[in-house]
Amino acid sequence: MAKLLDKQRYKCALGAMQTVQAITRAIPVLHSGPGCAQKLSDSIGSSGYFSPNIFPCTSINEKDVVFGGAKKLDTTIANALKVIDADLYVVLTGCIPEIVGDDTAEVVSHFEDSEKPVIYASTAGFKGNNYKGHEQIIDAIIDQYLEKSEVKEKGLVNIWADVPYQDLFWLGNIRELEKLIAGLGLTPNTIFGYQRGIKNIDRIPKAEFNLLVSPWVSVGNMKKMEKKLGIPYLHYPTLPIGAFETSKFLREVGKFAGVDKEKIENIINDHENYYYYLIERYADMFLETRVMAKQFSVVADAQYALGITKFLVNDLGLVPAKQFVTDDTPKAFQEQIRKDFENLNYGLKAEVGFETDGYKIHQEIQSHDYHGYPLILGSYYEKELTEKMFGHFLNISWPVQDKVVLDDFYVGYTGGIRLIEDIYSVAVQRWN
Amino acid sequence: MSYKIAVASSDGENINETFGSTEKFIIYEVAGGSYEKFEERFYQEESDADQNRCNNSDKCRNSDGCGSGCGGKGGNSSKVELISDCRAVVCKKIGFHIQKQLERKAISFFDVSCTVKEALDKITAYYSRIDNHEPLRK
């Protein structure tokens, strides 16, 4: 039976046009209906040199369904190459051309000899959500653009994290991850955001290893790169937020990269000293239990649900209620992620539900006894619910309506402090 | 269920007329997956119907029926009226205003340059799949 999805928390695979947009000077060329990109474009930090309003699009209609849209795609790509000055052209196909069977690969192959690279990804909505679409874009880059390099650059590490724009803090997070890695004496390489782009994509094959910080997104990409480009990878499934997880993260990455143990410990020590100096100064506030909720729930994609749960338990000593992972995590990864939720400090375990239906999530939250007002970190959909329950609410996952984030971040030691600031700002506002 | 398709062709072989300039439509009737020529309908400029509809507006007086005037409420061009019982119209090119008028009457339009046979084969195959709830996947 057909089902309605209440309060969707992701978009269709074509939403990965935002992944392309996050690569500076790369442009998505859409082979889709005229409304797709309009519906998929957020107005959150997506204007600039290329914005969704100018993405070339075949705007296919009924005629193209009947007679095929290949010719239109051909002219759209050819003209995009003529009028748009970009470094990389990524053709994304929507549902309609995929259903009627336009041969996008064949059309794109006409542009093999063009001055600028043209690649394609079949991002039909029925194939998955924009987390999957993101993987397909990276796959397209690996398959159609990158070549194996015999020369390796010592200490060069490609860093991969979650989905740009879907993750509100994507830019700040990836920069902070870069800083942490650079602190270990390694050279980070990322392809998203300011002053990154095609030159960084070209550097990918020279890396000594790939570092993936995500519970499940891009694991397939890492395997592909290992096979095609011979780059080994380290999969760190938890987004490191706060001192406990970040120190663990640095130890693991350092060990993998062969960094001297003493050096790693010294770096960690420096970070932790400052971190706990801040915590100590506000210890009376943290210990004032009247201010903070006794139990919390996170409603977010796997990376934030897991990262924040670990942070709130391990660093702040809060007690987890049920956590909700809303990104339609593939079944193959669910068991491992569930285990990660059960591996918390103080012998605590968090129950986790992989649930995409907002109605069911809200039912469960409402029927749970939080022993007082709850702390809910989730999408904007949880705001009204939390208000009804007189709880504390922080908007950390998509869709985001009551927060403006330019380059703020939650990752690392500093990110943990930022998250504490945000959570306690909500709490103290209520009491003052 | 049978339906009709209007084709703008001067020679009956190729789709070679635009919606605005064509003087006649060849009407095909489609039934049970095969199509057959049904009749030819000729368009007369400044037909009575057009006059009546436009007599309260100077702007529309000189309407040539190809979409330049009579875009308002109820002001369909008489050419659209001529094929209003058809499910689709096939022609070489079609103007924006006429597209809107056809949309209002739920008539599909296909602006293509190919043979009549190719167009009708593809369109009838498409409708047959839609009507029988079959997937469009090839």
Side-chain angles (χ1 to χ4, degrees):
Chain A
M1 208 183 107
K3 276 205 282 188
L4 260 177
L5 186 59
D6 188 24
K7 303 182 187 66
Q8 57 167 28
R9 291 151 201 277
Y10 44 72
K11 305 169 193 169
C12 74
L14 191 67
M17 67 183 201
Q18 298 196 305
T19 297
V20 179
Q21 200 189 357
I23 305 170
T24 305
R25 288 181 59 81
I27 183 117
V29 179
L30 308 167
H31 188 27
S32 71
C36 294
Q38 198 274 326
K39 288 261 187 294
L40 292 168
S41 59
D42 281 339
S43 56
I44 304 168
S46 60
S47 51
Y49 182 44
F50 300 141
S51 75
N53 292 330
I54 72 123
F55 291 169
C57 178
T58 51
S59 293
I60 55 171
N61 53 27
E62 194 174 21
K63 182 185 104 185
D64 306 299
V65 170
V66 179
F67 292 90
K71 218 161 113 191
K72 222 175 193 177
L73 177 61
D74 196 284
T75 54
T76 306
I77 300 172
N79 290 323
L81 283 162
K82 268 185 222 153
V83 301
I84 294 172
D85 178 21
D87 288 341
L88 176 68
Y89 298 74
V90 185
V91 178
L92 287 88
T93 50
C95 303
I96 309 168
E98 291 283 322
I99 290 172
V100 300
D102 280 353
D103 193 347
T104 310
E106 200 268 334
V107 176
V108 170
S109 73
H110 300 169
F111 298 93
E112 255 170 19
D113 299 329
S114 63
E115 224 172 277
K116 305 282 182 65
V118 183
I119 60 174
Y120 82 99
S122 68
T123 46
F126 54 81
K127 285 187 176 170
N129 58 20
N130 53 333
Y131 292 90
K132 285 276 181 193
H134 171 82
E135 290 186 331
Q136 276 156 344
I137 299 291
I138 312 285
D139 267 354
I141 293 173
I142 304 165
D143 280 334
Q144 299 161 47
Y145 182 72
L146 295 178
E147 297 291 340
K148 192 172 178 173
S149 166
E150 296 307 325
V151 193
K152 297 281 176 196
E153 207 176 303
K154 187 144 178 52
L156 188 67
V157 186
N158 302 320
I159 307 175
W160 306 91
D162 248 69
V163 182
Y165 291 98
Q166 175 72 18
D167 175 359
L168 180 68
F169 304 95
W170 67 274
L171 182 62
N173 275 357
I174 201 140
R175 290 294 162 270
E176 187 63 12
L177 285 171
E178 279 179 352
K179 270 188 211 160
L180 288 168
I181 296 306
L184 290 172
L186 303 167
T187 316
N189 182 42
T190 57
I191 66 171
F192 299 116
Y194 179 66
Q195 288 191 338
R196 307 291 187 276
I198 196 85
K199 64 178 195 303
N200 299 84
I201 295 178
D202 289 335
R203 267 178 102 188
I204 290 173
K206 292 182 188 150
E208 286 198 313
F209 68 97
N210 280 314
L211 169 62
L212 172 65
V213 185
S214 173
W216 66 271
V217 179
S218 282
V219 172
N221 300 139
M222 298 305 115
K223 288 188 175 149
K224 192 176 273 277
M225 278 192 264
E226 187 173 47
K227 208 170 159 196
K228 185 184 171 185
L229 308 173
I231 309 175
Y233 67 93
L234 171 64
H235 178 201
Y236 196 84
T238 311
L239 187 73
I241 303 173
F244 183 82
E245 197 63 34
T246 310
S247 298
K248 202 172 142 199
F249 168 75
L250 288 178
R251 282 188 190 105
E252 206 158 306
V253 177
K255 193 177 158 201
F256 192 86
V259 180
D260 178 50
K261 219 172 173 184
E262 205 185 314
K263 186 181 169 186
I264 302 172
E265 290 308 319
N266 286 337
I267 293 163
I268 290 173
N269 219 15
D270 284 349
H271 281 301
E272 285 192 352
N273 282 344
Y274 181 63
Y275 182 87
Y276 288 116
Y277 158 77
L278 293 172
I279 298 283
E280 207 175 275
R281 282 176 53 210
Y282 281 83
D284 50 356
M285 183 182 76
F286 297 134
L287 296 169
E288 175 68 80
T289 49
R290 204 165 53 84
V291 177
M292 189 34 68
K294 289 193 178 65
Q295 290 194 9
F296 70 90
S297 284
V298 184
V299 187
D301 51 12
Q303 68 153 350
Y304 280 114
L306 183 60
I308 292 178
T309 300
K310 285 201 169 187
F311 170 68
L312 293 181
V313 174
N314 296 346
D315 283 50
L316 289 185
L318 299 182
V319 178
K322 188 168 177 177
Q323 313 301 319
F324 300 92
V325 174
T326 58
D327 59 9
D328 202 15
T329 309
K331 283 222 162 54
F333 294 99
Q334 289 186 4
E335 207 39 53
Q336 185 52 49
I337 294 172
R338 202 182 295 277
K339 274 183 197 150
D340 286 333
F341 271 99
E342 286 171 359
N343 184 21
L344 304 171
N345 289 2
Y346 320 110
L348 286 173
K349 286 180 179 185
E351 194 194 337
V352 59
F354 294 91
E355 185 58 73
T356 52
D357 191 328
Y359 174 79
K360 287 183 187 161
I361 294 170
H362 286 193
Q363 288 292 314
E364 287 204 53
I365 290 178
Q366 272 175 314
S367 60
H368 181 77
D369 180 9
Y370 284 85
H371 298 280
Y373 41 83
L375 165 66
I376 308 284
L377 298 98
S379 76
Y380 193 69
Y381 297 131
E382 278 71 58
K383 188 186 170 89
E384 208 183 313
L385 174 80
T386 314
E387 277 168 3
K388 258 192 237 162
M389 299 170 76
F390 303 103
H392 302 316
F393 169 75
L394 188 64
N395 196 174
I396 48 102
S397 62
W398 194 87
V400 180
Q401 302 284 343
D402 69 348
K403 208 167 163 55
V404 177
V405 174
L406 275 70
D407 70 346
D408 199 6
F409 55 90
Y410 283 158
V411 89
Y413 298 94
T414 317
I417 296 296
R418 296 286 164 271
L419 184 52
I420 291 174
E421 286 174 349
D422 285 353
I423 292 173
Y424 278 82
S425 296
V426 171
V428 297
Q429 268 173 32
R430 178 193 190 115
W431 298 109
N432 293 311
Chain B
M1 193 191 79
S2 74
Y3 58 88
K4 295 189 180 74
I5 297 176
V7 177
S9 167
S10 62
D11 59 2
E13 292 282 322
N14 297 297
I15 315 284
N16 57 3
E17 292 283 353
T18 66
F19 193 95
S21 67
T22 190
E23 286 170 359
K24 66 166 182 185
F25 288 104
I26 306 173
I27 310 294
Y28 285 85
E29 189 169 44
V30 190
S34 63
Y35 55 86
E36 214 167 71
K37 190 167 160 183
F38 182 68
E39 62 181 3
E40 290 191 359
R41 288 181 194 168
F42 291 88
Y43 169 72
Q44 266 123 38
E45 241 174 289
E46 297 285 324
S47 69
D48 290 346
D50 218 17
Q51 285 285 325
N52 292 338
R53 201 163 290 107
C54 298
N55 59 6
N56 55 359
S57 162
D58 284 343
K59 256 196 292 185
C60 294
R61 184 108 333 140
N62 297 324
S63 165
D64 61 1
C66 70
S68 54
C70 288
K73 208 172 164 186
N76 285 329
S77 106
S78 52
K79 227 176 217 178
V80 173
E81 291 298 333
L82 190 64
I83 56 158
S84 65
D85 61 333
C86 295
R87 186 173 185 178
V89 55
V90 193
C91 53
K92 205 166 94 183
K93 283 268 189 288
I94 191 161
F96 180 74
H97 292 287
I98 291 294
Q99 291 183 14
K100 291 289 141 196
Q101 290 183 18
L102 291 169
E103 275 172 11
R104 209 179 291 158
K105 288 185 171 297
I107 301 171
S108 299
F109 45 87
F110 299 97
D111 49 334
V112 289
S113 301
C114 62
T115 63
V116 173
K117 185 180 178 319
E118 188 192 345
L120 289 177
D121 284 346
K122 284 187 172 166
I123 294 168
T124 52
Y126 165 70
Y127 282 143
S128 142
R129 286 185 185 193
I130 287 192
D131 294 341
N132 295 308
H133 304 285
E134 285 167 11
L136 290 169
R137 201 180 282 258
K138 278 170 189 163

